[in-house]
């Protein structure tokens, strides 16, 4: 879910994933790997959140298309 949230926020802010990786000083392809089985460090999540001007919660929370948390009613 974190990868999807990052992609969505990056797109909304007009920044590519490659540029985001460069600004966050993470290796090329790192953020894409977060969409698979690789978990990012808290430090890297914070860097990305700062660049995207959002909270860490916005990056890690699971939301559906209506914006409500999945699994909660």
């Amino acid at each position: 879910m974190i990868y999807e949230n990052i992609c969505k926020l990056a797109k909304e802010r007009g920044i590519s994933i490659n540029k985001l990786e460069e600004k966050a000083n993470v290796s090329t392809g790192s953020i894409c790997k977060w969409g698979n089985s690789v978990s990012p460090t808290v430090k890297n999540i914070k860097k990305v959140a700062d660049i995207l001007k959002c909270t860490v919660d916005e990056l890690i929370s699971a939301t559906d298309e209506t914006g409500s948390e999945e699994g909660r009613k």
Side-chain angles (χ1 to χ4, degrees):
M1 187 44 107
I2 189 168
Y3 175 71
E4 291 84 1
N5 290 345
I6 290 171
C7 289
K8 179 179 176 257
L9 290 167
K11 184 176 180 179
E12 288 174 2
R13 286 153 176 77
I15 185 170
S16 70
I17 295 300
N18 287 339
K19 191 67 173 174
L20 183 58
E21 288 171 334
E22 182 183 313
K23 287 185 172 194
N25 199 30
V26 298
S27 61
T28 303
S30 290
I31 292 176
C32 292
K33 289 177 185 175
W34 299 349
N36 297 316
S37 60
V38 177
S39 296
T41 64
V42 173
K43 181 179 177 181
N44 285 340
I45 294 171
K46 178 69 172 126
K47 284 183 195 178
V48 170
D50 288 346
I51 293 163
L52 293 176
K53 296 180 178 21
C54 68
T55 65
V56 170
D57 281 347
E58 288 176 272
L59 294 182
I60 63 174
S61 65
T63 57
D64 62 19
E65 291 183 14
T66 64
S68 63
E69 290 186 30
E70 287 183 284
R72 296 195 179 190
K73 294 186 181 192

